[in-house]
Amino acid sequence: MDFFKAVWDALEESCPDSKIKKVYAIWDAFLAGEFICFANDCEILIQSKPSYAAICDIVRPAEVPKRRNLDSTDGKKVFIHALTHIEYAAIDLALDACYSFRGLPTDFYKDWVEVAKEECDHFSALQGILRSFGGEYGDYPVHISLFDALRRSDTLLKRMAAIPRYLEAGGLDANKKLSAKADKISPELVEALKIILRDEISHVHKGDKWFKYACKEAGCEPSVYFDIIEETLPGGLKPKNEMNIEDRLKAGFACHELKRLAGNEVKC
C-alpha cells in the first residue's frame, strides 16, 4: 500500500462510512509496519473543495442554522449536526497534514493518522447520537471555514500553528460550554464530549510538538506563532475571554502565551 495514495484516497472520499473504513485501514497498516518510506516525490495534489461538499450544502458562516432552541427536536438535531460536522472536517484536516508534507519523521505520519482515526471515532459517536434523534449528517448546511484556514496554511510551520495549535485548541475552550448545552440533550452526548475533550488535548499536544519541530527546522523561535496567526487567521488574536487554561497547559502552551492570547493576566 502506497501511504500517500491511500491517504489521498481517504481524504477525497465523501461517503462517511467509506472514509472511516479507509482511515482505519491506514491506521492498521501503520501499526503492522507496512509503511516505511515517506520521501515520496510525486506531485502533491490540492483539493479544490472539501470532501463533505458532496454531502452538505455549503453556505457562508452567517447562514448556518443557529444552535439555540434545544427544547425542540429540530434544535437538538441542529446542535448535534454542528458538532458532527466539526469532527468530520477534523478527519480531513488530519489526513491533509499526512498528505501535504513529505519526508518528515515516521512519527509525524503516525501521529496524524492516529488523530484522523480518533476523529473518525468522534464522528461515528456523534453520528449515532444524531441518528437517535432522527437526523443524518448532511441534513443541514455547513460552512467551510476550517477548509479555508487549511488552504491558507501551506507550510508545516503555518499548518501546525494555525490548525491544531489555534483552531483545535479553541475546541478545548469551547468544550465546557458545549457540555452544559449537551446536558439538556442526552447523557450520551455529554459522555461523547468528555471523550472528545480527552482526545483533543492529545491532538493539540501533537500539534504543539510538530510546531516546535518546524520552528527548529526553520531556525525561528516559537514566538513566531503570533505572527502566523495574524497572517493566516486575520483577527485571530482578539483577546479570548474564556480559556481552558488547565488543558491548554497540558497540550503544551506556555503560560506567557496564554497571557498574550487572553489579553490580560491569567493564573497558570
Side-chain angles (χ1 to χ4, degrees):
M1 183 188 297
D2 179 278
F3 178 74
F4 295 109
K5 286 182 179 178
V7 170
W8 176 257
D9 186 44
L11 180 59
E12 282 280 271
E13 179 59 63
S14 60
C15 171
D17 290 342
S18 296
K19 181 184 289 286
I20 290 168
K21 288 178 182 177
K22 290 177 180 181
V23 171
Y24 287 171
I26 295 169
W27 176 239
D28 289 343
F30 218 119
L31 293 181
E34 295 181 22
F35 302 123
I36 57 174
C37 180
F38 302 96
N40 189 305
D41 60 358
C42 292
E43 179 187 6
I44 299 175
L45 303 174
I46 298 175
Q47 283 186 304
S48 60
K49 58 185 177 181
S51 65
Y52 52 81
I55 307 168
C56 304
D57 290 333
I58 307 299
V59 298
R60 294 183 297 110
E63 296 172 344
V64 172
K66 304 302 181 185
R67 296 172 284 176
R68 290 174 180 165
N69 184 14
L70 299 184
D71 293 326
S72 70
T73 298
D74 191 59
K76 290 173 182 177
K77 287 194 290 185
V78 166
F79 181 81
I80 301 167
H81 189 277
L83 299 180
T84 305
H85 174 62
I86 290 171
E87 298 305 318
Y88 183 99
I91 300 170
D92 282 359
L93 293 178
L95 290 173
D96 193 273
C98 291
Y99 178 80
S100 295
F101 305 105
R102 309 292 171 90
L104 293 170
T106 300
D107 279 352
F108 174 85
Y109 302 101
K110 184 177 181 181
D111 276 351
W112 294 106
V113 173
E114 183 174 29
V115 170
K117 183 264 180 193
E118 290 175 349
E119 302 292 14
C120 287
D121 295 341
H122 302 166
F123 174 84
S124 294
L126 292 172
Q127 170 84 310
I129 295 168
L130 181 60
R131 285 172 174 167
S132 73
F133 283 89
E136 187 72 25
Y137 181 55
D139 283 351
Y140 301 96
V142 301
H143 63 74
I144 60 172
S145 296
L146 287 174
F147 181 80
D148 290 341
L150 180 147
R151 294 274 70 90
R152 291 194 297 269
S153 51
D154 56 355
T155 67
L156 180 64
L157 185 64
K158 289 181 180 179
R159 179 69 59 84
M160 294 297 107
I163 304 300
R165 213 171 183 268
Y166 186 84
L167 293 175
E168 292 193 60
L172 303 181
D173 304 333
N175 193 278
K176 186 174 182 179
K177 282 186 177 180
L178 293 174
S179 295
K181 292 181 178 180
D183 195 45
K184 300 178 181 179
I185 297 176
S186 76
E188 291 79 12
L189 185 55
V190 172
E191 186 60 29
L193 287 174
K194 287 180 182 178
I195 294 170
I196 289 171
L197 176 61
R198 179 200 69 195
D199 291 345
E200 291 299 335
I201 294 170
S202 171
H203 299 175
V204 177
H205 190 270
K206 287 180 171 69
D208 179 73
K209 176 175 73 173
W210 293 107
F211 168 71
K212 289 169 180 172
Y213 169 91
C215 284
K216 186 176 180 180
E217 291 293 301
C220 61
E221 294 298 319
S223 57
V224 74
Y225 173 73
F226 297 97
D227 295 330
I228 292 171
I229 299 308
E230 191 64 53
E231 175 189 348
T232 59
L233 303 168
L237 293 182
K238 181 180 178 181
K240 297 180 179 297
N241 296 324
E242 297 183 34
M243 280 199 302
N244 184 340
I245 302 298
E246 179 182 358
D247 289 336
R248 278 179 175 263
L249 289 171
K250 290 179 184 177
F253 280 88
C255 187
H256 67 84
E257 291 179 304
L258 299 183
K259 289 180 177 180
R260 182 166 175 181
L261 287 169
N264 55 40
E265 290 296 316
V266 296
K267 294 181 180 181
C268 54

